[in-house]
């Protein structure tokens, strides 16, 4: 019988494992990243996963890796110093880090592909990310994974914009030679599924069984998500047009501290006379653990997104998986996921070329309110939204058919198994291409390798050369005898300090002290780095010697 280790895939995909945001706001990017890792562990078949994280993130890593069936191995990022030991089939960055994966690969002997997936594309800082990508000089077997056609077009135009402007101003010929791949985000269709009995879901959120419920789920932010006040206007029109029907609008989402957009939605509903029919839930603890039940309690999912920070939109496909028809803006990634007339309806949007002033001002002083100003010039056709929702109110058979088609579409396109299969096929294809046609390793990231000694070495009064003679100080002799001690609480916390190496330096100096002859730094280096293959071994020994000098355990002798 073969062991589990024998059955594991031989090739590994490397990934950085990032910590979640800590402000209590549920951000789609982190939901997507965590979902991807979990989906890869549960449904991946071709590759092992090597997750690299800082030491402080280990507790979180333990929880995420429980379902990995031995396919995922957790590593401290410092282990990447020996990158060739991992023999990566590919490196995937789920946070669109356009620098580190390429800098890491530049240290490897064997080529392997790098894939990146984007999230928000609209903030000015991304232009610097794009420039770093261009400077890194990706190979043709690298790929940018785009979650929607709209996002791919935006990313292509961002890259063309940065490359064009930079080349024009600096006389360079930067360009992107890698691939664009279209792979959507996904959801757990085992969690998000239609309800067997909707009564339980309705009861949890105190919704009447006979009510017609419209649901919005997403971050409650006027600044960088969606203006929901026109939606409240549309709901008021629906309420007036259906006097004999109990209609409810539920808006659920977390808020950034101080924004209080949920309160603004509730206040506006009261102003329009529908306050009793609009429920605003801003406490994530009230709905996040039971979010799937919130969808199941709804008749229609509505999302009039108007902000350019959105590129895909997870909530429409969560609703889709739960068999809830979607009435959403004809905007960015929604245009890919929602099939007009089949799984729901796309609501027309109107914009115009009026962004020049905001674009120019963002160069010197980008503000989150720039996104608000842009979004407030996007008109979502609320009359069309009202008409689409009214049709779903009037035609329960259409609603049921859309529910069935939604679930089928979610299972076929937006479940983790088919999405992970597409990623693994991409990694295998790119890895084969890298092996067949290896290109000279591109080191476009070398400019960003700091030269601390060359740039700042002159700060010190003088440099300690290898001819310097070193000996134990009186305090050092006490340390060797056990009458004094290292600052252990500090030494243990300093990740680059190896107590074993300190001990070897001290032992060597103690033997020399017994003979009355000091040791040169060069002699210490030759003894302690004999046989070492790490390129930084001599630097490490020198730093430990200087640490002992810093604390007065070792002193320099003259003459």
């Amino acid at each position: 019988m073969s062991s589990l280790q024998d059955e594991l895939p031989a090739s590994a995909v490397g990934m950085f494992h990032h910590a979640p945001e800590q402000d209590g706001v549920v951000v789609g990017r982190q939901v997507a990243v965590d979902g991807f890792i979990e989906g890869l562990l549960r449904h991946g078949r071709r590759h092992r996963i090597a997750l690299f994280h800082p030491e402080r993130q280990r507790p979180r890593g333990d929880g995420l890796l429980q379902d990995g069936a031995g396919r995922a191995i957790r590593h401290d990022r410092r282990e990447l110093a020996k990158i060739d030991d991992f023999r990566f089939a590919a490196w995937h960055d789920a946070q669109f880090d356009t620098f580190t994966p390429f800098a890491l690969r530049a240290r490897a002997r064997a080529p392997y592909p790098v894939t990146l997936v984007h999230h928000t594309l609209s903030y000015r800082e991304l232009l610097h990310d794009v420039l770093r990508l261009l400077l890194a000089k990706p190979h043709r077997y690298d790929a940018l994974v785009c979650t929607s056609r709209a996002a791919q077009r935006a990313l292509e135009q961002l890259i063309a914009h940065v490359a064009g402007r930079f080349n024009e101003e600096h006389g360079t010929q930067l360009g992107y030679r890698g691939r664009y791949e279209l792979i959507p985000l996904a959801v757990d269709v085992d969690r998000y599924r239609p309800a067997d009995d909707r009564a339980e879901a309705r009861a949890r959120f105190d919704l009447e069984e006979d009510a017609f419920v419209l649901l919005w789920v997403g971050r409650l932010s006027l600044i960088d998500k969606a203006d929901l006040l026109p939606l409240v206007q549309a709901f008021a029109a629906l309420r007036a047009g259906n006097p004999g029907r109990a209609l409810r609008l539920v808006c659920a989402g977390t808020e950034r501290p101080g924004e209080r957009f949920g309160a603004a939605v509730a206040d506006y509903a009261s102003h329009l006379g529908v306050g009793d029919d609009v429920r605003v839930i801003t406490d994530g603890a009230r709905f996040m653990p039971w979010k799937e039940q919130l969808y199941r309690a709804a008749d229609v999912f509505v999302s009039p997104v108007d902000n350019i920070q959105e590129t895909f939109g997870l909530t429409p496909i969560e609703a889709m998986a739960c068999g809830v028809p979607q009435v959403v803006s004809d905007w960015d990634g929604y245009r890919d996921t929602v099939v007009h007339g089949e799984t729901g309806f796309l609501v027309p949007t109107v914009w115009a070329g009026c962004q020049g002033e905001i674009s120019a001002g963002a160069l010197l002083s980008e503000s989150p309110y720039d996104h608000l100003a842009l979004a407030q010039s996007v008109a979502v056709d609320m009359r069309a939204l009202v008409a689409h929702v009214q049709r779903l109110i009037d035609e329960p058979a259409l609603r049921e058919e859309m529910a069935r088609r939604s679930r089928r579409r979610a299972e076929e396109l937006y479940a983790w198994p088919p999405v992970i299969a597409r990623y693994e096929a991409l990694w295998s294809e790119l890895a084969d291409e890298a092996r067949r046609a290896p290109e000279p390793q591109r080191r476009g990231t070398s400019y960003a390798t700091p030269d601390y000694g060359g740039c700042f070495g002159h700060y010190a009064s003088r440099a300690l050369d290898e001819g310097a003679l070193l000996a134990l100080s009186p305090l050092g002799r006490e340390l060797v005898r056990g009458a004094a001690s290292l600052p252990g609480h500090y030494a243990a916390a300093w990740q680059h300090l190896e107590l074993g190496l300190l001990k070897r330096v001290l032992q060597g100096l103690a033997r020399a002290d017994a003979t009355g002859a000091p040791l040169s730094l060069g002699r210490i280096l030759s003894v302690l780095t004999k046989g070492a293959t790490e390129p930084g071994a001599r630097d490490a020994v020198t730093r430990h010697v200087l640490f002992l000098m810093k604390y007065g355990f070792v002193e320099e002798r003259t003459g």
Side-chain angles (χ1 to χ4, degrees), residues 278-297:
V278 176
R279 313 273 177 86
V280 179
I281 308 173
T282 60
D283 181 4
R286 284 186 57 196
F287 72 91
M288 284 301 294
W290 303 279
K291 191 164 64 161
E292 66 277 12
Q293 292 203 41
L294 187 56
Y295 286 112
R296 293 168 187 164

Side-chain angles (χ1 to χ4, degrees), residues 289-496:
W290 303 279
K291 191 164 64 161
E292 66 277 12
Q293 292 203 41
L294 187 56
Y295 286 112
R296 293 168 187 164
D299 293 285
V300 176
F301 174 79
V302 289
S303 182
V305 160
D306 54 16
N307 205 289
I308 61 171
Q309 72 79 36
E310 187 73 86
T311 55
F312 179 82
L314 278 171
T315 52
I317 61 172
E318 290 175 345
M320 190 180 292
C322 290
V324 180
Q326 315 92 51
V327 179
V328 302
S329 307
D330 183 21
W331 187 256
D332 59 63
Y334 287 12
R335 195 172 296 147
D336 282 1
T337 54
V338 177
V339 182
H340 186 75
E342 293 188 18
T343 70
F345 296 104
L346 292 169
V347 179
T349 56
V350 177
W351 207 10
C354 56
Q355 303 84 30
E357 177 189 6
I358 296 173
S359 297
L363 174 64
L364 298 179
S365 180
E366 184 184 38
S367 164
Y369 291 95
D370 291 347
H371 277 63
L372 174 59
L374 295 170
Q376 293 296 66
S377 64
V378 175
V380 182
D381 188 344
M382 286 298 165
R383 287 183 296 181
L385 184 145
V386 168
H388 293 321
V389 173
Q390 186 64 55
R391 187 177 173 190
L392 291 170
I393 292 173
D394 295 337
E395 300 181 37
L398 174 63
R399 204 164 65 241
E400 292 174 5
E401 179 60 24
M402 284 186 165
R404 286 192 292 271
R405 290 176 175 176
S406 290
R407 175 64 185 180
R408 184 166 61 246
R409 182 171 174 81
E411 290 177 322
E412 292 175 354
L413 298 179
Y414 304 117
W416 281 118
V419 168
I420 293 302
R422 291 174 66 178
Y423 268 101
E424 292 207 296
L426 174 63
W427 290 329
S428 295
E429 179 185 344
L430 295 176
D432 287 344
E433 185 174 345
R435 285 190 292 268
R436 286 196 309 268
E439 302 178 40
Q441 189 67 277
R442 299 179 183 276
R443 302 191 181 277
T445 56
S446 60
Y447 74 93
T449 302
D451 182 3
Y452 295 123
C455 295
F456 305 104
H458 62 283
Y459 279 18
S461 303
R462 62 187 179 86
L464 190 72
D465 59 38
E466 294 190 10
L469 299 177
L470 304 174
L472 290 176
S473 68
L475 182 60
R477 295 188 184 98
E478 291 184 14
L479 178 65
V480 171
R481 292 198 306 269
S485 62
L486 288 168
H489 62 286
Y490 167 71
W494 188 29
Q495 293 185 357
H496 302 290

